[in-house]
Structure formats: structure tokens, C-alpha cells
Amino acid sequence: MARILYLTQIDIDHGAVRLLPAECKRTGMKRPLVVTDAGVRAAGVLQRALDTLGDLPHAVFDGTPSNPTEAAIRAAVGLYRTQACDGLVAVGGGSAIDLAKGVAIAATHEGPLATYATIEGGSEKITDRVPPLIAVPTTAGTGSEVARGAIVIVDDGRKLGFHSWHLLPKAALLDPELTLGLPPGLTAATGMDAIAHCMETFMAPAVNPPADGIALDGLARGWAHIERATRNGQDREARWQMMSASMQGAMAFQKGLGCVHSLSHSLGGADPRLHHGTLNAVFLPAVVRFNAGAPSIHSERRLQRMAQAMGLPGCDDHGAEVAAGIAAMNTRLGLPSGLRAMGVDQGLFERVIDGAMADHCHKTNPRLATRDDYRRMLAESL
């Protein structure tokens, strides 16, 4: 059975952050906790959001790490409770938004956070007790502002997914102006994260025609504008297009993702210093080649349709052209050439494979990967 849900109220435009106080009022927030990170504060982006709040009482948690952790969530929950907050406003990239979703769970549900992880059967345990959340993304990559999931490193070191429609932000304010100061390297890495979402969810086998259309359009937008946004961070049109591509990738990935994310989640848990979007970019070529052997990829000409959206001259049934196009784009963007360039060696492979096999994205890949398959993909990505 195919279930198709699109529920978040989205405003996308230059200056959309000005709608924040009205959205707080609409969602019933009288004292929100603003969740962000030190970098967003230091860049002055947080202040632009806070300035819109006027005299609305609020508290600020700026301790979000680059990969959200259960420990950081506990710290934010402590502030949420002591300040008597009644809602959450996430201002930042996917890490801040995911951390806010973790706070929404932990502030209103008992027990260790892992209890509510998807692979632990926890999705049904997340209820409508969660407080309202408004998301104001400051990067164009994860799309967490329109997604029902969050990725968190829990206390035992696993990087787990938490998924519930109750976690879906009540509003997403997509203001490309908040991304104008994003450095080139981060623009490239987060942009490839958005492109990976569009590509991997399009290859996923679940039936969701609207998601397929959204993903292909997002891929076309992202592919056509990521170099412009990386070269010139002040290119307002490119920034708008990348923010749309990010949103579209996340709207579409309710279909499910696949081996790219199974590997990225696992390796990111093993070494939290590694950037998720960069890992996705590095893994994409090997996974495209692996997925080329899936019957659903051939029957619906998915490789050829992605190649068309990317403006590639052609594509065979082995995915070589699409994989080569991704690798060439990574090079042009200045991203690492492979895992070795990121400080990863084969010594981590078995641990990464363990995590990938258990990841919630593993079973939604168009081909079910074995340990040997993952080992080959890792070796090809070195």
C-alpha cells in the first residue's frame, strides 16, 4: 500500500524569516526554545531570526554539535523545562533541526531516547504530546524542515533514525537570504546532500509517483545551480534554487532512501567528525553502479531519467555515465576524492558494514545489499 502525505506549511522566499512571529502565534507558541548552534550565532544569522520575535519571550540553546547527540538533547531539554517553554524554533542546518526534533521527543516522553528509534520499533511510541516545531533552515541540504525524521547519535554510539509524522515541523520558513554567507565548501557539501536525497529516493522502489516527480525536478534544479551557488555565494537565484532542491529532496524521501544513507549514517556514527553531505557525495557513484542491477531501475528507466534531469548526453544500463557525472561534479566542487582523503581507511569497514546492515535505509534500497556488496561499495569509494 502506498501512503502519500504532504503536511508542512512551507513559505519559500527572500525575507521569509519575517513570518516567524506570525507562525509562533499560529502554532500557539508563547515561549519558544530557539535551537541553534554556535556557528549560526557567530555568523549573525541567529540574530536576524531573533530580531523578528520582538517582545515574544524565548530562550536560546546554541549547543548543537555538528552531529546531534543524545547528550546535547538532554542539555536542551533541561533549558526547555527550566524556562517553561511551550514550543521549538530551530534556526540552523539539519543538525539543529534534528536536535530540536530530539528535544520534542525527550521533553514529552519517558525513557532513553533509543526507545523511540525506528529500528527499535519506536516510531509508534512517539505521540502527539510533542510540542510544535517551526524550522528555519540556514543551509540548503538536509531538508529536515519538511521531513518527519531526525538522525541522532545516541548514548551507546549508534547513529539512529527517529521517524514520526508527529515530528513534522508545523511550519518551514525557507529564506535563501540566510544562506548567502555559507562558505563554498559547506555550500557544496550540503548541496550534494540535497542532490543525493533526490537521486536516492528516486531510485527507491516504493510506489509514490508524486515523490518521483518532485525528486526529479529537485535534482534538475540542484544539479543546474550547485556550481553557481558554490562559486558565488551571493547569487540569490542560485541560493533560492538550492533551497528548493533541498526541500524537494526531503519531501520526496518519504519513499525511503538506500545504501548511500545506510553507509553515511553508519560511518558518521563511527567518526562524528565526518560531514554527512560529503559522505553522501562520495558514496553516490558506487551506489548508483550497484543499483543499476535492480529490476525496478531498468523497468522504469530510472537511470536514463536521472541522466536527463542532470543534462548528461546519455546513459547505459550500468549507470556508468551517471556515476561518472557525479564524480566529476564532486571534483569541480572541490569535494574530497574519496574516503581516504577524508581520513578513513579499511580498518573501519567491518564496523561500518555492521551499522549499514542495521540502518533504517538498508531495506528501502532497490537492491538488498549483502555484507560483501557493502564491502565492495566501500572499497570503490576509497
Side-chain angles (χ1 to χ4, degrees), residues 319-332:
E321 289 85 356
V322 172
I326 297 164
M329 176 65 82
N330 289 343
T331 298
R332 294 197 300 273

Side-chain angles (χ1 to χ4, degrees), residues 135-272:
V136 184
T138 61
T139 64
T142 71
S144 187
E145 68 273 6
V146 296
R148 71 191 189 282
I151 305 296
V152 176
I153 299 176
V154 296
D155 286 341
D156 63 15
R158 290 180 295 165
K159 193 170 188 178
L160 301 182
F162 298 78
H163 296 83
S164 168
W165 292 110
H166 296 302
L167 297 177
L168 201 67
K170 301 297 184 185
L173 301 180
L174 277 60
D175 188 341
E177 291 182 4
L178 301 183
T179 71
L180 294 178
L182 207 62
L186 197 53
T187 297
T190 54
M192 284 305 297
D193 190 17
I195 285 170
H197 290 158
C198 291
M199 296 184 75
E200 194 163 37
T201 197
F202 183 70
M203 291 186 284
V207 176
N208 191 326
D212 285 342
I214 292 168
L216 272 186
D217 184 80
L219 172 58
R221 291 175 188 273
W223 195 263
H225 291 90
I226 187 170
E227 290 182 85
R228 279 177 52 183
T230 301
R231 284 196 307 267
N232 177 13
Q234 298 299 310
D235 186 328
R236 291 165 60 86
E237 171 65 13
R239 290 295 193 182
W240 190 99
Q241 296 289 350
M242 291 308 300
M243 187 152 270
S244 182
S246 175
M247 168 192 69
Q248 290 174 253
M251 289 178 72
F253 69 43
Q254 62 177 266
K255 272 185 69 183
L257 293 165
C259 291
V260 170
H261 281 75
S262 296
L263 288 165
S264 292
H265 291 158
S266 182
L267 182 49
D271 187 347

Side-chain angles (χ1 to χ4, degrees), residues 74-128:
R74 276 196 298 273
V77 168
L79 185 60
Y80 182 92
R81 289 173 173 164
T82 59
Q83 295 296 313
C85 295
D86 59 2
L88 295 152
V89 174
V91 181
S95 296
I97 300 172
D98 281 8
L99 191 130
K101 292 176 182 177
V103 173
I105 299 170
T108 53
H109 294 68
E110 299 297 323
L113 192 63
T115 305
Y116 304 95
T118 302
I119 65 169
E120 300 290 348
S123 293
E124 298 304 317
K125 299 175 185 177
I126 301 172
T127 71
D128 60 4

